[in-house]
Each structure stands twice: as structure tokens, then as C-alpha cells.
Amino acid sequence: MNDQNDINEIIETQENNASKNEQVISDEQKDKISEIERQKDAYLRLLAEFDNFRKRSEREKLEIIDVVKGSVVNDFLPILDSLEKAYIACAKDESISAGIELVIKAFKQLLEKYEIKEVDTQVEFNPHMHEALMTVDSDEPNKIVQVFEKGYIYKDKLLRPAKVSVSKGESKSYNNDNNEEV
């Protein structure tokens, strides 16, 4: 019977060793699986970060292009102003004024092609779009009375404000003691 006990002990020992080996293997597999998941997570984060970088770079590139376009156009605006003044000055000579008018029309078509618009001066004075060079007395306050130089907008960004004369409304004088109108 002693031999039987020895055999049973040997079998138990082998079974215990086998279960420990299985546990070691499964722990190793768990470690590998968690390492793979960690690497996958790092890869996905890196991929998302790169995609954000690519989008940000593209957006910044477009912004730089817009700034450069606006700057170049802004340099050409005084030429258009001069052409418009020449057109007015040569109004008596039809051949010259017709030629200048064609150049002005071509220039304005080019501005339109690049989404450059004139600042509207048929509205109430807006300090964000208009620059008041002088004020005049009038019945209606904040009305644009005269345009000295046209303003231009490029994609909702002001390139140059319109230089205008603005009405300041009717001025009333008051008696300082009673605040009564004189």
C-alpha cells in the first residue's frame, strides 16, 4: 500500500505542477494581451494626433494664403483709387474716359473673382467698417454723408475701412442752469 501512496503522491505532484504551468502560461498570455492592447491604444492615439496635426496644418496654410492675398490686394487698391480719380478728371474727353472705364471694370471684376467687396457706405456709420474723417451737421445722426475713399473687405476681414464724412445730428444748445433748450 505504500507503493500506492507513493504513486498517488507523484500523480498529485504532477497535477499540481501541471496546473501551475497552465497558470503561468495564462499569466504570460494575459501580459502579452495587455501589452498588445497598450500598443494598440498608443497607435490609435498617435494616429488621431497625426490627423489633428494634418488638419491644423491645412487650416493654417489656408489662413496664410488669405493673409497674403489680402496684403497683395491692399497694395493694389491705391491704383484703383487713382484710376477712379482719373476717370472723373477726364470726363470731358470721352475716348480717354472710356479707356479708363474699361480698366476700372476689369480691375473690379478681378476683385470680385477673389471675393473682395466694397464696404457698404449706404448704411449707418459703423466704426468697424468706416473711418470718420470729419463730421457735419445734419438732421440724421450717424449718417454717411460723403465717401472720400472706398473701403474693401476680403472674406469678412476688413482690408481697408471706407474713409467718410459722418453727420453728427442736430446740435442743440442748453442753458447750463436749468438744462432747458435755448
Side-chain angles (χ1 to χ4, degrees):
M1 198 113 163
N2 233 355
D3 288 334
Q4 185 63 32
N5 284 340
D6 289 340
I7 293 173
N8 284 338
E9 282 181 27
I10 292 171
I11 291 173
E12 274 184 30
T13 305
Q14 287 178 348
E15 285 177 355
N16 286 339
N17 287 340
S19 70
K20 285 181 184 177
N21 286 339
E22 287 176 11
Q23 192 174 16
V24 169
I25 292 172
S26 66
D27 285 345
E28 288 176 12
Q29 288 174 340
K30 286 179 184 177
D31 289 343
K32 286 182 182 179
I33 290 171
S34 67
E35 178 63 21
I36 290 170
E37 286 177 352
R38 188 188 63 74
Q39 288 178 356
K40 179 183 174 186
D41 183 56
Y43 168 75
L44 291 175
R45 288 179 186 273
L46 186 62
L47 186 64
E49 194 174 315
F50 178 73
D51 191 45
N52 289 338
F53 169 76
R54 183 184 53 78
K55 289 176 184 176
R56 184 176 59 248
S57 295
E58 184 66 27
R59 187 173 52 248
E60 288 172 354
K61 180 177 120 182
L62 293 175
E63 288 174 3
I64 289 170
I65 289 171
D66 283 349
V67 167
V68 170
K69 279 182 185 177
S71 177
V72 169
V73 167
N74 205 21
D75 290 343
F76 282 101
L77 292 178
I79 297 169
L80 178 61
D81 294 337
S82 296
L83 285 169
E84 288 175 337
K85 289 175 186 172
Y87 176 73
I88 292 168
C90 295
K92 294 178 184 174
D93 190 341
E94 286 185 28
S95 62
I96 293 176
S97 64
I100 294 173
E101 185 178 17
L102 288 174
V103 174
I104 291 171
K105 184 177 178 182
F107 204 113
K108 287 186 176 185
Q109 287 173 343
L110 186 66
L111 292 178
E112 189 176 306
K113 176 182 174 183
Y114 289 102
E115 302 176 55
I116 296 155
K117 300 173 185 165
E118 286 184 14
V119 171
D120 188 7
T121 55
Q122 301 301 314
V123 295
E124 190 172 282
F125 176 75
N126 177 352
H128 300 289
M129 299 296 222
H130 309 109
E131 181 180 335
L133 298 181
M134 61 185 289
T135 58
V136 294
D137 291 329
S138 176
D139 293 338
E140 297 179 47
N142 292 328
K143 181 179 177 188
I144 295 174
V145 179
Q146 183 180 4
V147 178
F148 297 110
E149 187 176 77
K150 294 179 182 178
Y152 292 91
I153 300 171
Y154 174 61
K155 291 187 176 181
D156 298 328
K157 292 181 182 177
L158 185 66
L159 292 176
R160 181 176 81 181
K163 295 180 180 170
V164 297
S165 171
V166 182
S167 65
K168 61 181 176 181
E170 194 175 309
S171 67
K172 297 178 182 178
S173 51
Y174 293 93
N175 182 342
N176 287 341
D177 296 336
N178 304 2
N179 287 335
E180 293 177 357
E181 194 174 326
V182 177

